[in-house]
């Protein structure tokens, strides 16, 4: 018998399913709508990428089907892909296996089938429990459908459900957001992600904002929304463990935590990212190009980045501080050296004095004030 | 190489307003005389610095020797001396004109005579040069050669009956220009037997040769091994080499009376061989130097500070290197409470200042903060002593000031008569004193038909405080006259003014580098405009930034930059991580270009805000 410590750390595996019934106004992910004829070819290409993976045979602690809308494609594709991953890697028996589902496409029969296939965590893209907000985002489902989806998931036996909410939507008030949060708490899901709406360039939302068709809340309002969301969810027993993520005790996302703690991960599919042996690779963004690369026999990797020690340190600081528990200073020092850490000390002290970060029991973490302006604070703290 | 008798030498320069085609004509002349065989070199060969080519102006002059076989069958030695084309460099222009007997005057057939043309022609007259008018760009649809000819005669009083009609772009008229040079420009008149006198009309520093002096031999001759003396500085050197530019440097045995070329003599400092100085023979010195020497005197000062204080020694080194080539650049260490250690630098004018700043950033990779430019104020103190103030922060306490004087200039503005009102308004707004106005009218029927239109022009003369020109006077003039106005000025002494110091406070602290001296009546307007401009350029940050303007501790204008309330990326999963890190790295890079004052980050532009608030 070998002890588990003789194995490398378990991998996190991400599978990107880019297909959607319709693109939302704000979306700039690698997704396509109305191109379902590509689905079989895409999964064939995925199959090829998985079986050819250089990390074959390694233990896997989590699998995550993200999108896009994984619930939009026939369940068989998900089942087969997961089966292939189990054949190719050593997926732990207690692995967290998540699927992102859209309330519009997550109906009872398929939910049961996911469960049977081995999916043990559902992440439901609710976004809001108000129809008006859902329309402003270009979502296909209603608030009632969202509630039904959660209840059906429970009936199907899912005991680890996450709900996504978006705040700072066009026309949304602070009261609207608090209504959404209260509705989410009432659903008693184990996990919640609340994302501030980001207007990405070249999205329909960006055009709507530019021409005045969509009016976003003022920054001071979104700041209050964010702050109140944190207060309400913490009061309801959720742990705020990352900028946008909340969980009941024991239900933090193992998969996403891997991204933030310098664990290795492998992404399959269009636009997905891998990080192993200090190298980050990102695949081509469009599903069609991804399929073409497979057919043409070339690698789907579009970008490769070998992280320098400085970049690794920057990421350790950025990702570490985005975690609410913050950074273990001793670990950081052991990893990057005392001399390097000393050069960062002036910025650390400056931000401590400014009340944006705090030091307690050997950890460095963002204060609430620092959390709200984390990007500004992080720009001061990273090396360079 | 063949040598030419003194009567077969012609020394000439080309004078023109910016963009009237001086450099293109020079290129054509170089081609026609075989100095460059093909257009395989860059356009406008004479301008050798990148910045010059980008800005389309000539900063450093060069002198090229050409051989021209004229239509009379005889070969001539032509020396083309290039001149800088900007008002900042008037003295340099005058020195290169002094090295010539003739000037080719290029006037754009569509634009006509401009303010700079007038000042250049006046300079040429002062040096008794024969002027050969060339009406250029006759191929343009808007060209009006006849009117331009009249302009040249009536405005410049230059006989233009035989003006060459040219299109330098198309190579039209180049030979005729050369023929006129040969036949109308007199040969140099110096005495080959007299003691050496040579005019230094430019110089540059070469790492291997030391200072390379561009000289015009007026009397006698120079050869290697000769002991020479610079008469203004009294410094003696032994000549290492002499030669000419064809346009590449080429050594010769000597430079003889009337010739133009270079000399090197292991001269380490450009300040030992000043432009305008006279070179003579140390053993047999001339009794009198050539007339017209004056030391380059900076007119405009600003503080230059490294964004990162650790770059301070590099800044010094870079300034020293630039000074090797630019005797008009001066610098002295200064400290600012806000900006740390830097240098107070003196320039001939605004353009000169911008060029130096750009070269420091581009060629030496320095990140700099430049404080707003200032003129030199003269302060008479109550105790009877006087002082020059180059830095507004150094103005004494008002109780110690008896009188403040500021430098004035006499400015000439050329403008279509339709814009007289606009120019007068601007000049009045800038405390200008109207001197007089001349109408430029044309006698022919053609011109009368255009009378009252934009072709009817006036020359306005104003006396203006130089400080008012440092603000965006030229930009304003251009925009208020739709680009039709041209402008030139020369210093006209000091006058008393009701001047006060305006301080800028950031979060309650005076930023000395932002202080300015301004006229009392304009202080409120300036203060308001300045704080508003600062509000625009100071980015939002962690804290609120209060920006105030004050006179002697009394706040007269205030604005504030709201802090970030929320600035945090929502999603940061696998593929987002690289993007997110790069975003934050970029933000960090941006911060590096800013100056930390207290806990506020101030971008470079903020320090030049003062310039944009005219």
């Amino acid at each position: 018998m070998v002890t588990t410590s003789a194995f490398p750390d378990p991998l996190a595996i991400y599978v990107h399913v880019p297909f959607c019934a319709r693109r939302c106004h704000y979306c700039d992910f690698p997704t396509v709508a109305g191109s379902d004829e590509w689905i079989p070819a895409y999964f064939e290409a995925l199959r090829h990428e998985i079986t050819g993976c250089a990390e074959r045979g390694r233990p896997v602690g989590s699998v995550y089907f993200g999108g896009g809308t994984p619930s939009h494609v026939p369940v068989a594709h998900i089942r087969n892909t997961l089966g292939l991953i189990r054949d190719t890697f050593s997926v732990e028996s207690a692995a967290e296996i998540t699927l992102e589902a859209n309330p519009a496409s997550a109906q009872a029969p398929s939910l049961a089938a996911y469960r049977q296939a081995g999916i043990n965590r559902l992440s439901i893209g609710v976004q809001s429990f108000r129809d008006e907000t859902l329309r402003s985002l270009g979502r296909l489902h209603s608030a009632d459908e969202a509630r039904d989806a959660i209840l059906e998931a429970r009936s199907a036996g899912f005991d680890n459900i996450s709900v996504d909410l978006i705040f700072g939507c066009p026309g949304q008030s602070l009261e609207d957001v608090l209504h959404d949060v209260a509705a989410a708490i009432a659903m008693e899901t184990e996990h919640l992600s609340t994302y501030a709406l980001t207007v990405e360039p070249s999205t329909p939302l960006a055009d709507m904002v530019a021409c005045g068709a969509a009016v976003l809340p003022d920054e001071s309002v979104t700041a209050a929304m964010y702050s109140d969301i944190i207060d309400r969810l913490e009061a309801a027993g959720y742990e705020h463990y990352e900028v946008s993520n909340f969980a009941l005790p024991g239900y933090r996302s193992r998969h996403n935590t891997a991204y933030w703690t310098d664990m290795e991960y492998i992404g399959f599919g269009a636009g997905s990212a891998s990080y192993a042996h200090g190298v980050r690779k990102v695949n081509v963004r469009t599903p069609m190009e991804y399929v073409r690369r497979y057919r043409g026999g070339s690698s789907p990797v579009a970008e490769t980045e070998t992280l320098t020690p400085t970049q690794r340190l920057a990421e350790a600081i950025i990702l570490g501080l985005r975690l609410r528990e913050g950074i273990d200073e001793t670990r950081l020092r052991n990893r990057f050296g005392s001399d390097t850490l000393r050069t960062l000390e002036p910025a650390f002290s400056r931000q401590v004095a400014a009340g944006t970060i705090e030091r307690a029991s050997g950890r460095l973490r963002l204060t609430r004030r620092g959390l709200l302006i984390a990007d500004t604070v992080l720009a001061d703290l990273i090396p360079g | 190489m063949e040598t030419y008798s003194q009567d077969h030498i012609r020394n000439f320069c080309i004078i023109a307003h910016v963009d009237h085609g001086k450099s293109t004509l020079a290129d054509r002349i170089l081609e026609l005389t075989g100095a460059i065989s093909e257009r395989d070199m860059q356009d406008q060969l004479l301008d050798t610095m990148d910045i010059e080519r980008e800005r389309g102006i000539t900063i450093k002059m060069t002198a090229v020797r050409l051989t021209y076989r004229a239509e009379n069958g005889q070969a001539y030695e032509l020396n083309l001396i290039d001149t800088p084309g900007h008002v900042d460099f008037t003295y340099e222009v005058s020195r290169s004109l002094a090295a010539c007997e003739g000037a080719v005057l290029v006037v754009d057939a569509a634009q006509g005579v401009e303010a700079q043309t007038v000042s250049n022609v006046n300079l040429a007259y002062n040096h008794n040069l024969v002027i050969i008018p060339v009406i250029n760009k006759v191929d343009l649809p808007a060209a009006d050669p006849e009117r331009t000819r009249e302009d040249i005669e009536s405005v410049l009083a230059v006989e233009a009956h035989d003006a060459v009609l040219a299109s330098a772009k198309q190579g039209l008229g180049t030979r005729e220009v050369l023929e006129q040079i040969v036949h109308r420009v007199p040969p140099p008149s110096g005495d080959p037997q007299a003691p050496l006198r040579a005019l230094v009309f430019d110089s540059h520093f070469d790492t291997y040769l030391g200072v390379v002096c561009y000289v015009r031999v007026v009397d006698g001759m120079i050869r290697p091994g000769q002991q020479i003396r610079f008469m203004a500085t009294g410094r003696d050197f032994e000549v290492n080499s002499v030669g000419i530019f064809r346009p590449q440097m080429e050594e010769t045995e000597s430079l003889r009376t009337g010739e133009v070329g270079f000399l090197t003599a292991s001269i380490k400092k450009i300040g030992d061989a000043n432009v305008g100085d006279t070179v003579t023979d140390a053993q047999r010195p001339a009794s009198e130097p050539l007339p017209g020497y004056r030391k380059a005197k900076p007119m405009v000062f600003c503080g230059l500070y490294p964004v990162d204080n650790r770059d301070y020694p590099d800044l010094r080194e870079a300034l020293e290197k630039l000074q090797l080539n630019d005797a008009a650049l001066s610098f002295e260490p200064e400290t600012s409470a806000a900006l740390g250690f830097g240098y107070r630098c003196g320039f001939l004018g605004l353009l000169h200042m911008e060029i130096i700043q750009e070269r420091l950033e581009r060629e030496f990779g320095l990140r700099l903060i430049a404080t707003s430019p200032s003129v030199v104020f003269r302060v008479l103190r109550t105790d009877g002593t006087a002082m020059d103030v180059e830095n507004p922060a150094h103005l004494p306490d008002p109780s110690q000031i008896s009188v403040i004087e500021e430098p004035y200039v006499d400015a000439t503005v050329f403008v279509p008569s339709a814009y007289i009102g606009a120019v007068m308004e601007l000049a009045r707004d800038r405390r200008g004193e109207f001197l007089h106005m001349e109408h430029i009218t044309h006698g022919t029927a053609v011109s009368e038909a255009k009378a009252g239109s934009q072709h009817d022009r006036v020359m306005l003369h104003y006396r203006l405080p130089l400080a008012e020109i440092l603000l965006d006077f030229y930009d304003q003039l251009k925009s208020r006259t739709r680009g039709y106005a041209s402008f030139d000025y020369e210093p006209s002494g000091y006058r008393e003014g009701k001047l006060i110091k305006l301080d800028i406070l950031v979060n309650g602290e005076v930023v000395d580098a932002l202080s300015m001296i301004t006229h009392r009546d304009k202080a409120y307007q300036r203060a308001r405009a300045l704080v508003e401009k600062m509000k625009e350029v100071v980015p939002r940050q962690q804290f609120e930034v209060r920006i105030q303007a004050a006179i002697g501790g009394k706040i007269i204008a205030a604005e504030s930059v709201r802090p970030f309330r929320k600035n945090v990326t929502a999603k940061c999963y696998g593929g987002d991580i690289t993007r997110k890190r790069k975003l934050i790295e970029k933000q960090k890079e941006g911060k590096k270009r800013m100056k930390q004052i207290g806990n506020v980050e101030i971008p470079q532009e903020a320090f030049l805000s003062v310039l944009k608030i005219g």
Side-chain angles (χ1 to χ4, degrees):
Chain A
M1 279 295 280
V2 283
T3 59
T4 45
S5 64
F7 290 106
D9 284 335
L11 284 173
I13 288 183
Y14 177 83
V15 180
H16 190 68
V17 182
F19 303 96
C20 289
R22 179 169 112 184
R23 284 198 79 172
C24 304
H25 295 335
Y26 53 87
C27 181
D28 80 326
F29 305 144
T31 61
V32 287
S35 301
D36 290 357
E37 69 277 12
W38 284 83
I39 293 174
Y42 183 82
F43 276 89
E44 191 188 323
L46 262 183
R47 190 171 190 86
H48 181 78
E49 194 188 4
I50 292 166
T51 51
C53 178
E55 308 299 322
R56 285 188 299 275
R58 279 182 59 173
V60 167
S62 65
V63 180
Y64 194 105
F65 289 89
T69 313
S71 59
H72 177 72
V73 303
V75 179
H77 285 305
I78 303 295
R79 185 169 49 231
N80 294 342
T81 305
L82 184 53
L84 185 66
I85 290 169
R86 290 190 195 280
D87 294 345
T88 313
F89 297 88
S90 170
V91 179
E92 293 172 3
S93 57
E96 173 192 283
I97 301 176
T98 308
L99 179 113
E100 283 182 354
N102 186 306
S105 55
Q107 270 86 40
S110 54
L111 287 169
Y114 292 138
R115 188 85 197 136
Q116 272 167 12
I119 305 287
N120 55 25
R121 183 172 180 268
L122 273 190
S123 170
I124 303 178
V126 171
Q127 319 310 0
S128 173
F129 289 100
R130 289 182 73 250
D131 289 342
E132 213 180 322
T133 306
L134 289 169
R135 272 194 299 275
S136 79
L137 295 172
R139 300 289 293 181
L140 274 174
H141 59 89
S142 67
D144 285 343
E145 283 172 309
R147 280 194 193 86
D148 290 348
I150 298 168
L151 295 174
E152 280 171 23
R154 283 279 186 240
S155 319
F158 283 100
D159 55 5
N160 187 356
I161 298 175
S162 178
V163 158
D164 283 358
L165 292 180
I166 298 183
F167 66 94
C169 302
Q172 202 180 26
S173 69
L174 179 58
E175 288 68 35
D176 296 341
V177 169
L178 296 180
H179 165 269
D180 279 350
V181 171
I185 292 171
M187 299 307 294
E188 298 183 324
T189 58
E190 288 71 24
H191 190 278
L192 272 164
S193 300
T194 64
Y195 300 114
L197 180 66
T198 310
V199 182
E200 299 289 353
S202 315
T203 56
L205 179 64
D207 297 340
M208 289 156 73
V209 170
C211 75
V215 180
L216 298 173
D218 185 79
E219 187 184 296
S220 60
V221 176
T222 54
M225 288 173 174
Y226 184 42
S227 209
D228 285 2
I229 288 170
I230 297 169
D231 291 341
R232 298 286 166 106
L233 289 177
E234 283 183 343
Y238 288 91
E239 294 167 347
H240 184 203
Y241 70 102
E242 194 258 1
V243 168
S244 302
N245 287 283
F246 301 84
L248 292 178
Y251 285 96
R252 295 184 185 190
S253 163
R254 181 173 176 188
H255 182 82
N256 289 338
T257 302
Y259 292 134
W260 305 322
T261 50
D262 198 49
M263 306 279 279
E264 295 189 320
Y265 49 89
I266 301 293
F268 297 117
S272 67
S274 302
Y275 174 63
H277 317 295
V279 179
R280 183 169 296 120
K281 294 177 182 170
V282 181
N283 282 350
V284 291
R285 271 181 72 87
T286 72
M288 289 74 180
E289 178 61 16
Y290 176 74
V291 169
R292 270 193 289 274
R293 292 260 182 127
Y294 154 64
R295 286 180 176 162
S298 59
S299 157
V301 175
E303 292 164 45
T304 302
E305 181 184 41
T306 305
L307 296 181
T308 64
T310 307
Q311 288 169 333
R312 296 179 74 134
L313 175 57
E315 290 191 0
I317 292 170
I318 292 168
L319 299 171
L321 283 176
R322 285 176 61 90
L323 287 172
R324 295 305 287 128
E325 65 186 24
I327 295 171
D328 182 329
E329 289 201 70
T330 312
R331 271 193 60 193
L332 197 70
R333 201 172 301 115
N334 290 343
R335 200 172 148 206
F336 295 99
S338 317
D339 291 348
T340 310
L341 270 274
R342 246 193 302 282
T343 63
L344 302 178
E345 196 49 47
F348 284 178
S349 317
R350 184 160 59 233
Q351 292 298 338
V352 168
T356 57
I357 55 176
E358 61 192 9
R359 286 181 140 135
S361 38
R363 298 193 82 88
L364 202 62
R365 64 189 292 272
L366 286 168
T367 61
R368 173 70 66 88
R369 185 183 140 64
L371 178 67
L372 283 161
I373 54 165
D375 288 5
T376 309
V377 176
L378 290 170
D380 193 28
L381 296 180
I382 61 167
Chain B
M1 69 169 302
E2 68 267 71
T3 53
Y4 295 84
S5 63
Q6 196 169 327
D7 61 357
H8 276 60
I9 298 174
R10 300 289 183 273
N11 296 320
F12 72 102
C13 57
I14 307 176
I15 54 180
H17 189 78
V18 173
D19 285 340
H20 280 200
K22 182 177 78 171
S23 298
T24 318
L25 179 64
D27 280 2
R28 285 297 98 78
I29 289 175
L30 262 57
E31 271 174 18
L32 200 144
T33 56
I36 47 175
S37 47
E38 268 175 48
R39 291 303 304 263
D40 55 351
M41 307 189 184
Q42 299 112 313
D43 276 348
Q44 303 178 6
L45 193 83
L46 286 179
D47 299 345
T48 49
M49 290 200 298
D50 282 352
I51 297 172
E52 288 182 23
R53 209 166 293 121
E54 275 170 30
R55 293 180 174 232
I57 49 166
T58 312
I59 303 159
K60 274 295 188 189
M61 300 157 277
T62 338
V64 183
R65 172 160 318 174
L66 313 164
T67 305
Y68 175 62
R69 186 161 295 277
E71 281 164 4
N72 64 12
Q74 299 181 36
Y76 291 84
E77 171 190 321
L78 306 186
N79 291 301
L80 165 55
I81 295 164
D82 203 14
T83 58
H86 190 275
V87 60
D88 281 3
F89 305 103
T90 305
Y91 178 65
E92 280 69 9
V93 177
S94 84
R95 290 309 84 201
S96 50
L97 295 187
C100 302
E101 278 78 29
V104 173
L105 165 68
V106 181
V107 182
D108 186 314
Q111 305 290 324
V113 169
E114 306 271 12
Q116 212 174 61
T117 327
V118 182
S119 62
N120 280 333
V121 167
N122 286 340
L123 277 174
Y125 269 136
N126 293 343
H127 291 93
N128 295 317
L129 303 195
V130 168
I131 294 173
I132 296 173
V134 174
I135 298 170
N136 194 25
K137 306 197 190 180
V138 292
D139 56 313
L140 291 185
D144 189 345
E146 210 35 57
R147 199 181 66 84
T148 307
R149 197 193 302 274
E150 285 172 26
D151 249 19
I152 295 173
E153 293 192 339
S154 63
V155 182
L156 305 175
V158 171
E159 167 61 49
H161 183 66
D162 293 328
V164 181
L165 298 180
S167 165
K169 202 162 193 176
Q170 302 191 342
L172 194 75
T174 314
R175 183 165 291 278
E176 201 187 332
V177 172
L178 289 168
E179 285 297 317
Q180 289 210 15
I181 291 168
V182 164
H183 295 294
R184 295 186 49 206
V185 175
S189 62
D191 180 357
Q193 308 308 322
L196 169 67
R197 287 202 301 174
L199 172 71
V200 180
F201 63 88
D202 194 12
S203 58
H204 80 258
F205 187 83
D206 182 285
T207 322
Y208 301 103
L209 304 172
V211 177
V212 177
C213 298
Y214 295 51
V215 293
R216 155 71 194 268
V217 181
V218 175
D219 295 318
M221 71 149 60
I222 315 177
R223 55 172 79 237
Q226 193 173 0
Q227 292 293 319
I228 52 165
R229 175 172 302 155
F230 288 86
M231 295 180 82
T233 58
R235 300 282 313 254
D236 287 2
F237 296 93
E238 184 183 316
V239 177
N240 294 335
S241 67
V242 297
I244 57 173
F245 299 92
R246 300 193 64 96
Q248 296 77 18
M249 272 176 104
E250 193 176 298
E251 284 192 27
T252 58
E253 286 174 10
S254 64
L255 286 177
R256 298 172 307 136
T257 307
E259 287 192 317
V260 171
F262 69 84
L263 74 82
T264 66
S266 305
I267 303 165
K268 297 283 180 289
K269 277 175 27 211
I270 212 139
D272 286 337
N274 290 312
V275 168
D277 202 348
T278 302
V279 178
T280 192
D281 191 305
Q283 260 90 51
R284 193 166 78 102
S287 53
E288 286 291 322
L290 296 162
Y293 174 74
R294 88 179 143 84
K295 208 166 159 20
K297 193 167 177 293
M299 302 280 286
V300 175
F301 288 81
C302 80
L304 290 181
Y305 292 82
V307 173
D308 184 341
N309 282 326
R310 284 172 298 186
D311 290 343
Y312 179 73
D314 295 344
L315 175 58
R316 172 168 200 105
E317 204 174 300
L319 283 167
E320 278 169 353
K321 277 191 182 145
L322 287 182
Q323 203 182 40
L324 286 176
N325 256 329
D326 188 346
L329 167 68
S330 71
F331 61 93
E332 271 176 32
E334 76 172 3
T335 51
S336 152
L339 300 178
F341 292 101
Y343 291 94
R344 173 99 337 209
C345 303
F347 309 94
L348 294 172
L350 272 190
L351 179 79
H352 187 212
M353 179 180 93
E354 283 171 25
I355 289 165
I356 296 289
Q357 284 174 17
E358 212 170 311
R359 293 188 65 189
L360 287 169
E361 298 215 328
R362 195 183 298 189
E363 294 169 30
F364 297 92
L366 292 163
R367 293 193 312 270
L368 297 175
I369 297 281
T371 66
S372 60
S374 169
V375 299
V376 182
F377 294 93
R378 268 190 205 149
V379 176
L380 300 176
R381 279 183 288 215
T382 44
D383 65 4
T385 59
M387 69 183 285
D388 282 353
V389 175
E390 294 161 5
N391 179 350
H394 297 161
L395 194 71
D397 187 83
S399 64
Q400 295 171 26
I401 298 174
S402 157
V403 173
I404 306 181
E405 291 180 336
E406 62 178 326
Y408 271 69
V409 297
D410 281 346
T412 309
V413 178
F414 252 77
V415 75
S417 52
Y419 297 105
I420 294 176
V423 175
M424 287 187 153
E425 194 189 326
L426 175 63
R428 198 164 44 237
D429 189 44
R430 299 304 175 87
R431 301 190 279 133
E433 178 197 330
F434 176 77
L435 297 176
H436 62 278
M437 175 165 73
E438 289 155 48
H439 283 274
I440 297 150
T441 47
H442 301 291
T444 66
V446 179
S447 301
E448 273 165 17
K450 290 176 181 170
S453 73
Q454 287 191 340
H455 294 281
D456 196 12
R457 299 198 300 167
V458 294
M459 187 154 52
L460 289 150
H461 298 272
Y462 271 93
R463 184 157 294 162
L464 283 157
L466 178 60
E468 297 284 344
I469 290 175
L470 294 193
L471 298 172
D472 60 348
F473 183 85
Y474 192 57
D475 290 345
Q476 284 291 324
L477 184 68
K478 282 285 181 194
S479 77
R480 293 188 193 195
T481 62
R482 295 194 187 174
Y484 280 112
S486 62
F487 164 71
D488 202 3
Y489 66 84
E490 56 184 50
S492 66
Y494 276 75
R495 290 167 131 205
E496 187 181 337
K498 290 176 184 164
L499 302 165
I500 47 120
K501 187 168 75 153
L502 185 65
D503 288 319
I504 298 297
L505 291 79
V506 171
N507 281 359
E509 283 183 49
V510 174
V511 180
D512 54 0
L514 285 167
S515 296
M516 66 187 289
I517 294 173
T518 185
H519 195 264
R520 191 186 300 160
D521 298 345
K522 311 192 80 179
Y524 281 87
Q525 182 198 334
R526 289 263 152 86
R528 181 105 294 273
L530 191 53
V531 294
E532 277 167 17
K533 183 74 198 169
M534 288 277 290
K535 186 189 174 177
E536 275 171 42
V537 298
V538 173
R540 294 168 64 200
Q541 32 209 286
Q542 264 176 257
F543 311 92
E544 180 183 25
V545 181
R546 273 176 299 123
I547 300 160
Q548 297 164 307
I551 300 171
K554 186 177 166 246
I555 307 294
I556 60 168
E559 281 288 348
S560 80
V561 179
R562 289 195 309 145
F564 276 120
R565 296 297 307 279
K566 179 173 169 298
N567 180 29
V568 49
T569 306
K571 288 196 174 189
C572 193
Y573 302 111
D576 308 321
I577 296 173
T578 297
R579 201 160 63 115
K580 166 84 175 161
R581 190 196 72 233
K582 284 183 176 163
L583 217 73
I584 291 179
E585 281 169 351
K586 208 172 135 193
Q587 222 176 313
K588 178 119 193 156
E589 263 317 297
K591 283 158 72 89
K592 276 198 213 160
R593 297 192 62 84
M594 293 195 257
K595 195 79 191 177
Q596 188 92 23
I597 292 178
N599 57 16
V600 181
E601 280 149 358
I602 310 255
Q604 285 169 302
E605 311 92 272
F607 295 92
L608 287 173
S609 297
V610 190
L611 274 178
K612 319 282 185 201
I613 54 157

